[in-house]
Amino acid sequence: MAVGRSAASKIDWAKIGTSLGLKGQTASALAAFKKRNDDARRKVQLLSDAPQTVNFESYRSQLKNQAVIDEIESHFKSFKPATYDVSRQIKAIEAFEAQAVKNAEETKGLVDKELGDLEKTLKNIEEARPFEDLTVDEVVAARPDIDERTTQLVSKGRWSVPGYKEKFGDLSVL
């Protein structure tokens, strides 16, 4: 138990969240677990600091009824604390840990995928030619819907792009 206490006291809770990049439900579950851990440690510390011996001689000198004190002393000496099976709690903690690890792995997978997509996009942007250097054929190859829309407008006798004059003004005055 002492080994568990020393290991638990060395945990840097703030570093766990930041180093693993925990967010959302996983981070809040870790914070709740830390709070429960701190509360349990505080209770254990309070109980271990409490006096654990009873001075029956002091009570004998103060009270007249010695039989009551003898009876209480015999009950006190024969008292055996109840032991509890904590395997259920340990299983719950292990299940929580497994869920936390699973959530962390899912988050890591999503972040890795998004980083990969962002790196591909960045590489694409860095390798792209300037817009001025593109030809009409290259733009149509990249976005065939532009050619279809242009063909549709020309077939209807429209030679101007809707919204162009509003955005850029009418240059026919020049």
Side-chain angles (χ1 to χ4, degrees):
M1 187 76 173
V3 173
R5 282 189 200 139
S6 66
S9 65
K10 294 178 183 176
I11 294 176
D12 185 3
W13 292 98
K15 189 175 180 180
I16 288 175
T18 56
S19 66
L20 296 177
L22 301 179
K23 293 181 181 161
Q25 182 183 9
T26 307
S28 61
L30 181 66
F33 181 76
K34 179 192 179 305
K35 183 180 182 311
R36 288 194 312 269
N37 181 13
D38 290 343
D39 290 343
R41 293 170 135 262
R42 206 171 298 113
K43 286 179 183 177
V44 166
Q45 184 63 34
L46 284 173
L47 291 174
S48 65
D49 290 345
Q52 298 175 0
T53 59
V54 179
N55 186 357
F56 289 105
E57 293 304 319
S58 170
Y59 289 108
R60 282 194 179 95
S61 67
Q62 295 174 6
L63 300 174
K64 294 179 183 178
N65 192 347
Q66 302 296 315
V68 171
I69 296 171
D70 292 337
E71 184 178 339
I72 292 172
E73 186 176 15
S74 67
H75 286 297
F76 180 78
K77 288 182 178 178
S78 66
F79 174 74
K80 300 286 185 233
T83 57
Y84 292 100
D85 183 19
V86 292
S87 61
R88 238 180 29 179
Q89 287 83 0
I90 291 174
K91 286 179 185 177
I93 291 170
E94 289 172 351
F96 171 79
E97 181 182 351
Q99 184 66 33
V101 168
K102 179 182 169 192
N103 287 345
E105 288 173 353
E106 288 175 4
T107 303
K108 182 185 179 298
L110 292 173
V111 168
D112 288 344
K113 180 182 176 199
E114 190 172 332
L115 280 174
D117 291 344
L118 289 173
E119 286 175 0
K120 283 174 39 181
T121 302
L122 183 61
K123 183 179 177 187
N124 219 0
I125 290 170
E126 289 171 347
E127 293 177 355
R129 290 188 300 173
F131 187 74
E132 297 82 30
D133 294 347
L134 294 178
T135 64
V136 172
D137 292 332
E138 291 171 334
V139 172
V140 169
R143 296 278 310 270
D145 59 316
I146 294 175
D147 192 36
E148 293 171 9
R149 179 75 174 140
T150 306
T151 305
Q152 180 186 29
L153 289 173
V154 170
S155 68
K156 292 182 180 178
R158 290 187 168 166
W159 295 96
S160 62
V161 177
Y164 184 84
K165 286 184 180 180
E166 289 80 11
K167 188 169 186 181
F168 298 106
D170 191 3
L171 299 177
S172 62
V173 178
L174 299 174

